[in-house]
Amino acid sequence: MDFEFLLPMSKDDLLNRTEAGQYVVEEVFPQRQMPDRLQDYRKTYKSKGPSAILTCFDSLFSMLCHLKNLDPELKLEAWSIILTGIEDYVDHLPAILDNGNMNSHDRNTNLNVLKMNSYILCQFMEQFESDATKPTILVVPTKGRTKSRKRSNDSFDWETEREKGLAVLCQIVHLNIHRLWEPPIVEEEFVNLITNCCYKLMENPGVSRNKTTKEAIFDILGAMIKKYNHTLGASLKIIQLLHHFEHLVSPLAQAVEKFVNQYNNKSIVSEIMREIGRIDGADLSRDSSGTRALSGFLVELAERIPAVVLTNISVILVLLECESYSMRNCVLSVIGEIVIKVLSNEGLNDKQKKDRNQFLDILEDHLHDVHAFCRSKVLQIWANIVNEKAIPLQREAGVVKLVIGRLQDKSSQVRKNAIQLVTSLLRSNPYTAKLTAEELKENYEKEKAKLEGMLPGREGDNTDTEGAWLEEWKHIEVCLREVTQTLSDDDEEEEEEEMDVDNHFDEDETIQQIKQTIYTALKNKNYKTALEMLVQAKKLWSDDPLFINIRQTDSEDNDVTLDHVKCLKELYKECSASVSTTAEEENNPIVNEVTKQQVLVQYLKDCLTFANQIQQAVPVICQLLGSKNISDIMGAIEFFVTGFEFGVSNSMSGIRHMLSLVWSKESNIKEAVTSAYKRLYLTPGGSNKRANAHVIVSNLTALLSGATLGDATSLEELIKEFVRTKELNASVIQLLWETFTMKLPKTTDEESRTSLVLLGMAAGADLDIVRSNVEVLVREGLGPRADKDFSLVRDVCLALTKLAVNKVKAGSYSEPFRFPQDHDIFARLSAILVSGVMNLDQTDWIPMAEQAINVIYKLSEHPDIVCGDIIKSLANVIKSTYAQTAEGDNGNRPDSQQDNDNRPDSQGEQAPSTDEPEPEITSQPVSQEGQGGQVSELGCPAGVLTRLLSISGQIALCHLVHLDVAVFGELKRRHAIEEEEGSKKTTSNTTKETETETETTEEEMGLAGAAAEDAEAEYIRRITETELVTGSNLLGFIQPLLVAVCSDKTKYPDQNLQTAATMALAKFMMVSSEFCEAHLQLLFTLLEKSPSPVIRSNTIIALGDLSFRFPNLIEPWTSNLYARLRDDSPTVRKNTLMVLTHLILNDMVKVKGQISEMATCIVDTDERIARLAQLFFHELAKKGNAIYNIMPDMISRLSDPEANVQEENFRSIMKYLFSFIQKDKHCESLVEKLCHRFNSTSNERQWRDLAFCLSLLSYNDKSIRKLQEKFACFSNKLADEAVYSCFVTCVNSAKKFAKPEVKVIIEELEERLQACHEKGVEDDEIIQKASKAKGKRAGKTPGRKLGKTPARTRKPAYGSDDSEDDFTHPATRGTAKSQKKGKPKPKLSFSSDEDSDLELFNVDTSNAAMQDKGNSDIENADPNLNVGASPFHSPIRKTKKSVNSKKQDHMSTRN
C-alpha cells in the first residue's frame, strides 16, 4: 500500500483524485453501518495498532460525515477510540523520529499515519466544538414543573475531552516531526490544519475563561510560530479574529505576550502592527466593532510589552490622521503606555529623550482634537502620566495651561476629565504641600534678591577664566589650520580615513560625552582625530546647536573646511568653562553656595508659576459648580476639596459656592457636598476629643465668617444634616456653648456671636440644644452684653425662634409651645428695645427689633400685650424727649401743620384698654440738624422716629400672621378636640345605629365643621380689616404719622426715615384691604417718584406681596408695575422683573401686551437682568401657547418708533422669542398676520422689522402658500434692500425641505420677489421725490400716532413741588379735561390669538367691540403670599372677596 495522503481543504477533496498516488476515499458508508464500521476499526486497531487507520480511514471519514446525526453514545465511543489511537501513536513517535536509518517507505507510511490521525482528530474537535457552542434549546415546562435544558449528550463532558485533544496536539507540534518530510520542512497544509483547529476553539468565549485550555492553545500556536514559520499566518489570523470576535481582545494580547517572552518571537508584533497600519482609514470608520477590537488589542499589547511595541510604533503613527476616533484613541493610548513604562526612567539616553518629547508633543497636539472622545481620552492619558510621575518637570507648566483651556470645552466628558487632570496635577505636584501664591511670591522675591547680592563678586573670576582658555586656544588654532590644509589637499586619504571614523565612538555614548572626548583629543594635541570625530558627531547629532554652522557650510562644500575650526573653538570654550567651573566648585565653597541659591530660586519660581496657573483655573471651575451636568459638579467638588487642602489661595470661593449645592435634588451631589465638608471641617485627625472639638469649632467659625445670607442659609441646612447623622457630637456642642458664654480664654465678641449662630443652626435639627439652655441664652445673650451689642440680641432671637414649631403633624392636638407673657425673655427684650431706641450709634437696632418682635409673637402667650407695652414705652420715650425740648424752647415750637386731606379720621382717637392717656403723636416737620441728629418739632431725632415706625410695621405684620396662623390654628385645634370628645360621648351613650343614620350624622358633622371654620376665618378677617391698623388702637394712632411721613418728603427729608416709613406703610397695607385701597395711590407715587432706588426696590417687592394678598386692588395698577422695568436703577429693574415673573407664572397677573416691556429686558445692559428675562420667557413657553398669543402684540409694540427700541436690540429679542414658536400652525398664522401688518405701516424701520420676523419662521407648504396669497401686502416694500433680503431668506429656507409641487410655487414667488425688487430700484428716484412731497404735506397735517405702552412714559422726578395728586388713580383716569383733546384712540392690546388679529391688522373694526372683557377678571384660585421675593416671610391667606367685581370689593370694605 504505497500512497500519499494529501490534507484536503474540504471534505469533498478526499472524494476526488487530482494527482497520481493520492489517497482517495472509495466509499462513504451509510449511517446505519456506522456501529459495525466502528467495531471493525476497533478490531483492526487491536491487531495493527495506530497504523490501522491506513486501512480503516474510510470508516472514520464516513463517521465524520454523519457525525451530526449519530447517537451520543456512538459519538463518545468513536472519540475515545480515535483519541486512544493517536495518543498511542504519539507515544511511539519519538522513537520513530530518532531512527536515523528510516527508509523512504517507512517515512511515507508514518507521515500518512500522522496526517490521517491529525486530520480526523482536528475535524472531530471542530465538530464537537460547533455542537457545544450552539444556542441552548429550552423545553417548555409542563404545569408544576421547572424548566429543563435539552442536551445532546448528558454524559459527554466536552471541556475535559477538549483538553485531552489539545494535549495530544501540543505533544505532536513539540516533537521534531519535520523529519518525516522530505525535505525536512513541514508542509503548510499540516500547519494550517493544527492552527485552524486552535483558532476555531478560540472563537468560543468559554475557552477564553478556561485557563488550562487557553494555555494549551497558546503553547500550540507558539510552537507553530517558532518552529514551523507560522508568524505571518498567525498575524493575519489574529487580525481576522479581532475583526469578528471582540471577546478575543485580551486573550490574543496574552498570546502575543507569550509568543514574545516565552518563544522569543518579536517579529509577530511587527507583522501585526504593520498589517493594522495598512488598513484603510475608510474601512476603520465603517467597521466600528472591528476597529474597537483592534484598538483594545493594541492598547493591551502596549501595556504588556511596551518596549517591543516602541520599536514598531512608527508603522501605526499614520493612524493618527485617519477619521476613526477609536483608532486615534488607540494610538494615543499606546503612546501613553510607552511613555509611562519605558520612557520615564532616570537614565534615558538622548534618543530616548527625543522620542519621549515627540510623543508628548503628539499628546499635547491632540488636546485640541476635533473629536470630543479623542480630547477626553488624551486628558485621561495625561492624568495617568501625571499620577505615575512620568511627566518631565519642564513640560508641566505648558500642560497645565493647555488643560485649563479644556475646562470650558463644549463636551461634558472633556470637562470632566480636564477637572480630574487639574486635580491630579495639584495632588501630584512636585513642589510643595502648600501652594499659597502670596507666600510663595514673597519667598521668591526674597531669595532672588539674595542671589543677586551673591553674583556681582564673581565677574572678575569669570574674566580670568575666559583669558586662560583663550590663550590655550591660540596655540591649538595654529595647529588645526595646518591639519585642515593637509586634509583638504589629500582627498583619497580623507575618504579612507572617513571609512574608519565609526571606530571612534561607542553606541551608548551621548553627545556630551562625545564633546568631552573631542576636547580631550584637542588637549592631547590629537588634532586630526578631533576633526574626524567632529565630522562623525555631526552625522549622528545633526540637530545639536553646535553643528548648525557646519550644516550651513556643507550645503555649499562637503569638504572639511575652516568652519570646522570655528565649531571646535566653541566646543573648546564650552568644555573649558565646564571644567573650570567643576574645579572651582571643588575648591571654592562660595561657588557651591551660589549654585545652591540658583537652584532654590528656580525651584521657587516654578512653584509660583504652578500656583498662579492653578489659581487661574479656580474661577472657571467655580462656574462648573452651577452646571447642569452632574459630572462637572462632582469633579469641581473634588478639585476644591483638594485645592483647599493644598492651600490654594482662592479655593475658598469655590468652597463657599459649594454650599448652595446642599439643596440639590440629586442625591449624588448632596452626598458629595456633605462628604466634602465633613472631610474639610469635621475630620481633624487628632486623638484628643477636646482638641478635635476645638479644631471643628474653629473650622466652622471660619466658614461662617464673611458668609453671605445665602451661604449662611445653606450652611444651616448642612449643619442640621451633621446633627442628624451625629457628626456634630455633644463635645462640639458643649464647646460652642462655652465659646458663646466666653468661658474660654481670649474669646472675642465676634467668636461668641458666631458660636451662637452655629448653635441656632444646630437647633434646627435638635430643639433640645436650645430648649435646655434657655436660661443661658437669657442670662448671657440678653444680659448686660445685650445693652451694647444689638447684633448679639438679634442672634439670640434667631436661636429662640427655633423653639416655635411651624409644622404640626396631622392628627396631633398638642398645645403649641409658648412662654408666659411675664417670662424673662420678653421682659429683657422689652427693656433692651426701649432703652436702646435713643442709642443712635448702634445701627443694628432695627434688625434686632424685627427679630425680637418675631420671638415675642412666636413664643409669648399674649404677644399683643407685650408689644402694646413696648409701643407705649417707646411713645413715652418720645414724649419725655418732647417735654425736655419744650422746656428749652419756651414755646417757640411752631404749630402742627397737617392737611386734613392727608389725615385719616381715626387720628384723634385714643387707644382702648390703657390706664394712662397716650401722647398725641402728630406729623410734624423736621428741623435740619444733620443726618443722624435731625429733630422733629416733637423734639424727637429722626433716627428714633425711624425706629418707631419700623417696629410698628413689623408688629402689624406679625400680628396679622399671628391671627391668621397661630390663632386660627388654635381655634381649629380646639374645635377638633371638641369634635373628638363629642364623638366619643356619642359612641359611649348610644348603641347600634343604622348605616343610613351614621352616614347622615357624619355628613352633618362635616358640614358643621366646615361652617365653623368659615365662620372663624371670617371673624379673623373682620378683625384684620377693622381692628389692627384702623380704628381706636395703638397702631391706629401711629397710622396718621406714618402716612404723613410718606406723603411729605419736604417736612421729613431723612432718607432712612423715608425708607422705614415706606416699608411700614406696605406692612400696614398688608393687614387691611380698606387701608390698602385708601393708600395705594400714595404707595405707587412713592414707587414712581422717589429718588431713592432702595425705596423703589423695596416698594416693588411689597407690591408683589400685595398682589397675592389683594389681587383685585392691585390689578388696575399693573401698568405702573411694568413701568419700573425702565427704571434707571439696575436693582429696581431686577426686582421688578423678578416680581412680575412670580406674578405672571403664578397666574396672578394676566399676560397682556405690556409684557413687551419684559421682552426689552432681554437686551438689558445688566447681564443678570438679561439672563432673568430669558429664564422668564423660557418658563412662560411651558404654559401652552402663551408665547404665540403675545407674539403679534409684542412685534407691534416693539417695532413702534415711539418704543425707542434699537433695530439691533429688536432683532436680538425676536431671535430669542421666535425660538419658542415651533408648531406649524402657529407659523402659518403668524405669516398671515405679519403680512397683513405691512398694510398698516408706513415706516421703513417697521417694514424691516416685520420682514425680519418673517425670516425667523419655519416654512411648510401652507406657509408658502399664505406668503404667495398675501404678496400684495408687501410687494411695494420690496424696494428696500433689507426687506428684500429677508424675503429671500424665507424662500431659501423653504426650498430645503419642499416637495416638488411646492417648489414650483417657491420658484414663482422668488421670481415675483425679484421682479418687484428690481422695479422698485429702477423707480427709486421717483419714490424719493414722492416721499419728499409727502413729507411736506405731512408737516402741515398732523399724522396719526400709534398707541404706546404706558410704561414707556417717563414720570417727572420726585420733588418737593409735586403732590401725590399728580399721580391719579387708574379708575379716575380719562376725565373731562382729557376728553377735550379729542376722541381718544383705542390702545393696541390683547392677550389671545383672536385679539391679536384685531390689534394688528384692523381688518374688521366692527368686531373690535366684541372682545371678551371677562378675561381681565380671571385670577388664580389659590393665591398665596410670595414669600420668596418679599421681606414679609409669613404665610397669609388671601381675603375672601369677589374676584369679578371691584365695586363689590370696595362696598364690602366700606361696610
Side-chain angles (χ1 to χ4, degrees), residues 504-505 509-524 526 529-530 533 571 575:
H504 291 300
F505 302 145
E509 285 186 302
T510 64
I511 182 62
Q512 297 298 331
Q513 293 172 334
I514 298 302
K515 289 180 180 180
Q516 192 63 37
T517 304
I518 297 173
Y519 173 77
T520 304
L522 290 173
K523 293 286 287 185
N524 295 333
N526 296 328
T529 304
M533 287 191 292
L571 184 148
C575 294

Side-chain angles (χ1 to χ4, degrees), residues 208 282 333 474 477 518 581 630 828 897 1119 1310 1323 1390 1396:
S208 302
S333 299
K474 289 179 180 179
E477 186 176 12
I518 297 173
T581 301
I630 297 179
R828 283 299 303 154
Q897 298 177 2
S1119 60
E1310 189 174 14
D1323 299 341
F1390 60 89
S1396 62

Side-chain angles (χ1 to χ4, degrees), residues 738-786:
E738 293 178 11
T739 307
F740 162 62
T741 56
M742 303 185 77
K743 291 182 178 180
L744 295 178
K746 298 181 181 180
T747 302
T748 62
D749 293 338
E750 181 66 26
E751 292 173 346
S752 176
R753 287 196 300 270
T754 304
S755 298
L756 176 59
V757 173
L758 292 172
L759 287 169
M761 293 177 176
D766 186 4
L767 291 179
D768 290 335
I769 294 175
V770 172
R771 185 180 297 165
S772 59
N773 294 278
V774 172
E775 295 180 359
V776 178
L777 286 173
V778 175
R779 184 178 67 253
E780 296 292 336
L782 302 180
R785 292 169 55 190

Side-chain angles (χ1 to χ4, degrees), residues 173 191 195 199 217-235 238 255-256 258-260 263-269 271-272:
V173 299
V191 175
T195 55
Y199 295 136
I217 293 175
F218 293 168
D219 286 335
I220 295 172
L221 294 176
M224 288 294 183
I225 291 171
K226 183 176 181 180
K227 299 176 64 175
Y228 306 115
N229 197 23
H230 184 57
T231 302
L232 180 60
S235 62
I238 286 173
V256 174
K258 189 167 188 176
F259 301 157
V260 172
Y263 293 96
N264 196 25
N265 189 308
K266 298 180 181 180
S267 60
I268 189 171
V269 178
E271 294 294 338
I272 293 174

Side-chain angles (χ1 to χ4, degrees), residues 1122-1179:
Y1122 281 103
R1124 290 304 93 212
L1125 290 172
R1126 297 208 175 192
D1127 197 281
D1128 295 333
S1129 171
T1131 305
V1132 178
R1133 295 201 303 274
K1134 178 179 72 67
N1135 288 350
T1136 305
L1137 179 60
M1138 294 180 68
V1139 168
L1140 287 172
T1141 297
H1142 284 288
L1143 293 176
I1144 292 173
L1145 295 181
N1146 287 288
D1147 297 326
M1148 298 305 299
V1149 171
K1150 265 197 73 176
V1151 180
K1152 295 184 178 180
Q1154 294 162 337
I1155 203 172
S1156 61
E1157 295 295 335
M1158 298 190 73
T1160 59
C1161 294
I1162 294 176
V1163 292
D1164 195 281
T1165 54
D1166 190 302
E1167 185 179 353
R1168 185 178 180 187
I1169 295 176
R1171 289 200 303 267
L1172 288 172
Q1174 292 176 356
L1175 179 61
F1176 163 72
F1177 284 104
H1178 179 75
E1179 294 297 322

